[in-house]
């Protein structure tokens, strides 16, 4: 699989592995057959996509082919290799381009969402910091302008001296 998908972007390979790796070692013969059908179906799937979309980049051919094959063949009982081949043969270039665009949009949408999240987080940080500064300014103004303070020795509120008055804290 690694050699057949050499042109794919690393994050797309990791995504593909997330489909494949959990299916190994299940002990289910149907799952083992599905894995074999997936691996043996990669080359023919890529060839069909290349023939229908000659201008498509090789990385996109591999991404589209592996995603389609994984979604249909890796889950036992969903589609056989033959059923998948018939379905793939019925798709045209517009269908394949649409599926590829939809697949790539997830990554684009996620990046946009991340940027929005970071902007929102920065805005919230700024808002909190501005609020903190405002409160600190109010505390400082209150300390400078207060006329009554609490005397911890007597336990009472007393009038503060205006001249030379400094709080102990």
């Amino acid at each position: 699989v690694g050699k057949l998908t050499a042109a794919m972007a690393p994050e797309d390979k990791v995504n593909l592995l997330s489909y494949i790796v959990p299916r190994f070692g299940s002990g289910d013969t149907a799952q083992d057959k599905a894995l074999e059908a997936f691996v043996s179906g990669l080359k023919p799937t890529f060839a069909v996509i290349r023939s229908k979309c000659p201008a498509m980049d090789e990385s996109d051919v591999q991404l589209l082919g592996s995603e389609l094959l994984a979604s249909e063949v890796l889950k036992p009982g969903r589609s056989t290799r033959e059923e998948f081949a018939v379905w793939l043969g019925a798709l045209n270039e517009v269908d394949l381009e649409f599926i590829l665009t939809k697949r790539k949009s997830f990554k684009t949408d996620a990046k946009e969402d991340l940027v929005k999240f970071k902007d929102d987080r920065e805005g919230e940080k700024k808002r909190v910091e501005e609020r903190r500064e405002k409160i600190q300014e109010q505390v400082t103004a209150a300390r400078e302008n207060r006329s009554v303070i609490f005397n911890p020795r007597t336990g009472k509120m007393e009038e503060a001296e205006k001249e030379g008055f400094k709080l102990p804290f």
Side-chain angles (χ1 to χ4, degrees):
V1 173
K3 290 179 183 178
L4 295 173
T5 58
M8 285 174 55
E11 56 269 5
D12 292 331
K13 287 182 184 182
V14 170
N15 188 49
L16 178 60
L17 285 173
S18 73
Y19 293 128
I20 298 171
V21 171
R23 301 183 186 286
F24 279 101
S26 67
D28 182 7
T29 57
Q31 184 62 71
D32 293 341
K33 287 180 182 178
L35 283 166
E36 290 173 18
F38 174 79
V39 173
S40 64
L42 283 173
K43 279 185 182 180
T45 300
F46 296 161
V48 170
I49 293 172
R50 276 189 211 100
S51 70
K52 291 180 181 250
C53 306
M56 190 179 284
D57 289 340
E58 184 61 23
S59 61
D60 290 341
V61 168
Q62 292 175 5
L63 173 63
L64 180 60
S66 61
E67 287 281 330
L68 291 175
L69 199 58
S71 67
E72 289 297 318
V73 175
L74 272 181
K75 186 173 182 184
R78 186 161 192 177
S79 295
T80 64
R81 202 173 143 198
E82 293 76 22
E83 292 169 334
F84 174 77
V86 170
W87 174 74
L88 184 62
L91 296 175
N92 59 31
E93 182 176 3
V94 175
D95 296 332
L96 293 170
E97 289 286 346
F98 176 77
I99 294 168
L100 180 63
T101 302
K102 183 72 172 168
R103 167 58 175 81
K104 286 185 169 184
S105 73
F106 296 129
K107 184 192 239 182
T108 306
D109 293 348
K111 285 182 180 180
E112 290 171 1
D113 289 347
L114 179 61
V115 168
K116 184 182 179 308
F117 171 76
K118 286 181 178 180
D119 289 345
D120 291 349
R121 187 174 59 184
E122 282 300 314
E124 181 64 17
K125 275 181 161 179
K126 185 177 179 182
R127 189 189 69 74
V128 166
E129 186 57 36
E130 288 171 353
R131 175 92 170 124
R132 191 173 286 141
E133 287 174 7
K134 183 178 176 183
I135 290 171
Q136 187 59 42
E137 288 171 5
Q138 289 174 344
V139 167
T140 302
R143 285 181 178 169
E144 292 172 355
N145 299 322
R146 80 173 55 156
S147 58
V148 178
I149 63 167
F150 177 75
N151 185 338
R153 291 184 197 136
T154 63
K156 297 180 181 179
M157 298 297 284
E158 298 177 0
E159 191 171 328
E161 297 174 17
K162 293 291 183 186
E163 295 294 322
F165 175 71
K166 299 257 187 215
L167 288 175
F169 45 90

